[in-house]
Amino acid sequence: MTEQDKRRAIIDACLSMNRTGLNSGTSGNISIRHGDGLLLTPTAIPYERLTPEDIVFLGMDGRVEGRHNPSSEWRFHRDILAARPEAGAVVHAHAPFCTVLAIMNRPIPPIHYMVAVAGGSDIRVAPYALYGTEELSRNALAALEGRTACLLEHHGLIAIGTTLDKAMWLAHEVEALARQYHGCLALGTPRELSPAQMDEVMAKISGYGHQG
């Protein structure tokens, strides 16, 4: 992808997040790895008004290039991409069901084999920290260890992928799992897959899902 392609892809993904109900307003943010840094949504600009020139470049050293300030969550975007060389994109959204579970500090346990698409037998909740802070970034990185998605307590969802398409696919899958878990909790305590069953899934699921 050219730089212009990446800028347009970020805008398209932001519009898709709101159109599909994964997010609302400007609460979500998206980044794509680019050169020695990343391209990132700007802060507080409605997605419908974004043009490719509004997308901000952020260097790994913290330098900003562009006509707007980067998203207030720039720090965890940068830190995740710095810590996870296999990741090409980061999606953050205030997905409704993920946020309900995050408010209740409920990780998503192995209620369905699709939990494994996030890299393990559960989807963790990163402890609460003020948005945009170094503490939140540290908490998110810890919750993402060995995983490609996590919830942020009292906040929302993070999903990462080798490409933006894969990160978006994963974000939607995690929101679907959160909705299913929420529905189960309304009926009682759901049965969980055993560690052996999840190990079996993990051995088989490599490459499952969105193919670029």
Side-chain angles (χ1 to χ4, degrees):
M1 296 176 73
T2 67
E3 179 176 350
Q4 193 76 351
D5 289 338
K6 292 177 181 178
R7 290 171 178 268
R8 290 188 182 280
I10 288 172
I11 296 171
D12 289 345
C14 286
L15 292 170
S16 174
M17 283 201 304
N18 282 14
R19 185 173 61 250
T20 58
L22 187 68
N23 189 68
S24 61
T26 60
S27 57
N29 31 78
I30 291 175
S31 64
I32 297 179
R33 189 185 298 278
H34 182 71
D36 63 348
L38 53 143
L39 295 168
L40 176 66
T41 43
T43 188
I45 298 179
Y47 301 151
E48 296 79 9
R49 286 172 39 198
L50 288 174
T51 67
E53 293 70 32
D54 292 320
I55 302 302
V56 180
F57 175 82
L58 175 67
M60 290 299 180
D61 58 1
R63 77 185 188 280
V64 173
E65 297 175 9
R67 58 192 187 188
H68 302 293
N69 291 324
S71 165
S72 59
E73 301 292 11
W74 65 265
R75 189 182 299 276
F76 68 59
H77 284 269
R78 182 198 65 180
D79 292 353
I80 289 168
L81 291 175
R84 301 288 292 268
E86 79 280 9
V90 178
V91 170
H92 170 56
H94 293 184
F97 287 92
C98 285
T99 302
V100 167
L101 296 183
I103 290 169
M104 299 302 292
N105 194 22
R106 280 186 178 267
I108 302 176
I111 52 158
H112 192 287
Y113 70 82
M114 282 295 285
V115 168
V117 298
S121 60
D122 64 355
I123 297 171
R124 305 179 185 120
V125 181
Y128 175 78
L130 182 64
Y131 73 92
T133 61
E134 184 177 354
E135 181 183 7
L136 177 60
S137 182
R138 287 197 306 268
N139 292 350
L141 282 170
L144 285 167
E145 186 174 352
R147 302 286 190 273
T148 51
C150 72
L151 308 182
L152 304 174
E153 189 178 6
H154 295 280
H155 192 155
L157 157 76
I158 292 175
I160 66 177
T162 54
T163 66
L164 177 54
D165 284 346
K166 290 183 178 181
M168 284 288 289
W169 171 82
L170 180 60
H172 281 284
E173 290 296 334
V174 174
E175 174 67 353
L177 288 163
R179 184 170 64 249
Q180 292 157 11
Y181 186 35
H182 179 271
C184 291
L185 291 172
L187 299 175
T189 302
R191 293 178 60 188
E192 298 178 8
L193 295 172
S194 69
Q197 287 170 325
M198 287 303 292
D199 287 344
E200 185 179 37
V201 173
M202 292 296 297
K204 185 176 181 179
I205 207 164
S206 177
Y208 184 97
H210 184 279
Q211 301 298 312

